[in-house]
Amino acid sequence: MTNTPSPLPRISCVILCHNYGRYLDRAITSCLEQEPGHYTLHEILVIDDGSTDDTPEVCRRHQDHVRVVRRPQRGFAHTLTDAVILAEGDWVAPLDADDWFHPAKLRTCAAAITPGRLLIDHWETVVGVDGLPLLPEPHPGGNTSTLLVRRDAARTLLPVTNEIHFHALRDAGHGHTLTEPLVNYRLHPASMTDRTFNGASQHYRADVCADLAHRLIALAVAPPTWATATTLRRIAHRYRARSAGHRVEAHLQQGHRLHAVRPLTAMLYHSRRGHAPFSAWLRSLASVARDRPLAPPPPTLATVPASTIPPLLNRSAT
């Protein structure tokens, strides 16, 4: 008896774009120039979320190679959700239009696909507006452009508010992290809008984690194939603990130390229920005791020295 070779994984590169026409050409080209490997590039899909710049013109220049979906602006959460709904491949590689893939992105990620793996993430090279590196070494990823997610598993988590929703697959034991920097993550003023005010980013991350916890509890009623009800509830408690931790940080950044006591208590409770290490809670406890946030206040991009960039990087809610 001969073994039938397994079909190559079909990958959909889905570019999320709102008024990033000035960066879009490079994002599309990076998908077109992927090195061959044990995969099939099924499609390149651009979701134009109500752009009013030259995004449609850039798409027209690549019309023979990309599928474009244009619609009125609905925001990042809807666009990321639609990326999973509209993709036709077995795997989805989302890409923010201001970033671009390394030529080995799909080849390297495809080589890491094994039975049971549903999420693969990798490190990133942090670059500035001009595309030149801002950090001398690669940085851990976790944000939109550093993921490759199995489409059918991702669909069980919809609708999503942030790419952190897909991290639940890793928390359930179905993830794998590569330390190769396979995407260029562009840091620029337009990508820092949620960090303009003290605590704004932390409150947003707290809301994302709370939303994901609620989604996981709902899934536990009729669990998907990738997790049991018990696992989903445990992960939900962990995200509620993270939500509370972000809320503690937000209150400290805003100078509201007393307001941090309640989420600090909730963080301890959910850490215990989720069987999570207490290290994060101890760090938050120490920051409340000192009345000093763990991260510095959000500076403007123009004043960010290289040594302070890492705490500002992650667009996800971890």
Side-chain angles (χ1 to χ4, degrees):
M1 186 175 72
T2 59
N3 292 326
T4 302
S6 58
L8 296 178
R10 301 176 305 149
I11 300 177
S12 294
C13 291
V14 186
I15 302 174
L16 289 59
C17 186
H18 172 69
N19 286 342
Y20 277 166
R22 60 195 182 278
Y23 303 129
L24 181 58
D25 184 85
R26 192 165 196 177
I28 293 175
T29 301
S30 75
C31 296
L32 291 170
E33 295 180 345
Q34 286 297 296
E35 298 171 357
H38 192 76
Y39 72 93
T40 298
L41 177 55
H42 183 72
E43 63 181 336
I44 300 172
L45 170 63
V46 177
I47 302 180
D48 179 0
D49 187 41
S51 296
T52 57
D53 62 355
D54 62 342
T55 291
E57 178 183 341
V58 176
C59 290
R60 280 193 294 271
R61 294 203 299 267
H62 294 279
Q63 61 185 354
D64 293 337
H65 304 287
V66 303
R67 177 163 66 99
V68 181
V69 174
R70 297 190 182 94
R71 51 44 169 344
Q73 183 180 3
R74 302 180 65 191
F76 175 75
H78 285 289
T79 305
L80 185 58
T81 296
D82 287 347
V84 177
I85 293 174
L86 297 171
E88 298 176 352
D90 308 310
W91 293 79
V92 180
L95 175 63
D96 286 324
D98 52 340
D99 303 333
W100 74 96
F101 289 150
H102 187 281
K105 154 87 175 192
L106 299 187
R107 173 180 61 80
T108 306
C109 288
I113 294 175
T114 61
R117 282 184 183 168
L118 302 175
L119 178 72
I120 296 169
D121 67 284
H122 54 77
W123 287 31
E124 62 196 6
T125 298
V126 182
V127 302
V129 177
D130 55 5
L132 298 177
L134 287 177
L135 295 177
E137 300 293 336
H139 187 270
N143 59 60
T144 310
S145 302
T146 65
L147 305 180
L148 180 70
V149 61
R150 179 80 185 187
R151 183 190 61 175
D152 52 5
R155 286 186 172 184
T156 65
L157 291 162
L158 301 182
V160 299
T161 55
N162 183 278
E163 67 272 8
I164 188 62
H165 282 236
F166 302 136
H167 291 197
L169 300 171
R170 180 181 59 201
D171 295 325
H174 300 290
H176 181 68
T177 297
L178 302 168
T179 57
E180 291 93 332
L182 299 174
V183 72
N184 295 280
Y185 169 24
R186 195 189 304 264
L187 206 59
H188 57 94
S191 68
M192 300 280 283
T193 52
D194 63 343
R195 311 179 204 280
T196 303
F197 303 103
N198 287 355
S201 176
Q202 285 70 28
H203 277 306
Y204 168 71
R205 296 180 186 189
D207 290 341
V208 169
C209 289
D211 182 70
L212 175 54
H214 179 77
R215 176 66 180 144
L216 293 172
I217 291 298
L219 278 179
V221 176
T225 58
W226 50 269
T228 66
T230 299
T231 297
L232 291 170
R233 293 189 187 100
R234 184 184 72 249
I235 298 172
H237 278 295
R238 291 191 174 201
Y239 277 101
R240 283 176 173 163
R242 293 176 193 177
S243 175
H246 289 308
R247 205 75 74 186
V248 169
E249 178 71 5
H251 290 315
L252 290 177
Q253 282 199 10
Q254 294 171 332
H256 302 153
R257 182 187 186 188
L258 292 180
H259 293 176
V261 175
R262 184 172 181 178
L264 183 66
T265 303
M267 186 181 182
L268 175 60
Y269 171 79
H270 290 294
S271 294
R272 293 181 62 185
R273 292 293 304 275
H275 305 289
F278 290 104
S279 54
W281 179 78
L282 289 172
R283 287 195 298 271
S284 292
L285 175 64
S287 68
V288 172
R290 295 194 303 265
D291 194 14
R292 183 184 306 166
L294 294 172
T300 61
L301 184 60
T303 63
V304 176
S307 61
T308 61
I309 288 175
L312 307 173
L313 284 176
N314 201 349
R315 282 177 289 193
S316 74
T318 51

